[in-house]
């Protein structure tokens, strides 16, 4: 997900999807291997515990026959070793699985509740390079980033919200709303692309050169839309 832009640039979604599926298959095999080894370990533990329980119950029964122990002692031994010790083997594993399940569920619901800032139109049509071609054309493209900065009102106080627009050095400023009694929020639009128009013919390669912040990466992101 960190390099999704690079994948989109080179139309490599199918290969990345296949690579991800291959990785999932490897993870599935390793998970099955880990589960099998855990099952074998539990089997060995249970076998050792069962043998020890059988031996202790036999010794306790002999003491009951000799009159050195009562039936209550036999029940006590059985309750302590069998009814209490057996669940202890699974407490750690159950706790780990439940905790991991809650973590995964939280991440899943957080991802599902994420609302994208830009969504496709309900009438959007899938791009077909054979049908639509691969010529890229920008026609008077305009784009800018919104920034918000607090500014002080004249006179030291404001009695109502004021909406106004002014232009200073190419930046459009608009009063947004009143924050406090003596402070208002100013919405500033920082233009990046202004009436940008050019065409990249099919099969041709062009280079976009410019200083940092002039809109090179923004042009590439605009291709997605």
């Amino acid at each position: 997900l960190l390099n999704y832009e690079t994948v989109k640039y080179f139309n490599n979604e199918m290969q990345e999807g296949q690579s991800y599926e291959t990785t999932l298959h490897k993870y599935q095999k390793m998970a099955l291997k880990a589960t099998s080894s855990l099952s074998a370990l539990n089997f060995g533990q249970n076998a050792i515990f069962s043998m020890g329980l059988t031996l202790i119950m036999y010794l306790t029964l002999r003491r009951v026959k000799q009159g050195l122990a009562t039936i209550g002692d036999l029940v006590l031994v059985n309750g302590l070793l069998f009814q209490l010790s057996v669940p202890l083997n699974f407490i750690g594993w159950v706790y780990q699985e439940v905790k991991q399940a809650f973590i995964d569920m939280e991440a899943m619901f957080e991802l599902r509740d994420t609302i994208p800032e830009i969504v496709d139109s309900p009438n959007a049509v899938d791009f077909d390079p054979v049908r639509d071609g691969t010529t890229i054309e920008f026609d008077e493209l305009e784009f800018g980033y919104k920034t918000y900065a607090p500014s002080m009102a004249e006179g030291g106080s404001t009695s109502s919200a004021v909406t106004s627009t002014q232009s200073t050095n190419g930046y459009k400023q608009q009063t947004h709303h009143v924050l406090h009694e003596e402070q208002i929020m100013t919405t500033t639009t920082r233009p990046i692309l202004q009436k940008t128009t050019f065409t990249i013919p099919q099969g041709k390669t062009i280079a976009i050169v410019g200083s940092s912040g002039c809109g090179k990466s923004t042009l590439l992101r605009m291709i997605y839309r």
Side-chain angles (χ1 to χ4, degrees), residues 16-32:
E16 291 297 329
Q18 293 176 353
S19 177
Y20 181 68
E21 185 176 0
T22 301
T23 304
L24 284 181
H25 283 304
K26 292 181 180 179
Y27 174 80
Q28 182 181 11
K29 292 180 181 179
M30 297 304 297
L32 291 175

Side-chain angles (χ1 to χ4, degrees), residues 90-107:
F90 302 96
I91 287 180
W93 178 79
V94 171
Y95 173 77
Q96 179 182 0
E97 292 296 323
V98 172
K99 184 177 181 180
Q100 185 64 39
F102 277 111
I103 293 175
D104 294 340
M105 289 175 60
E106 182 180 0

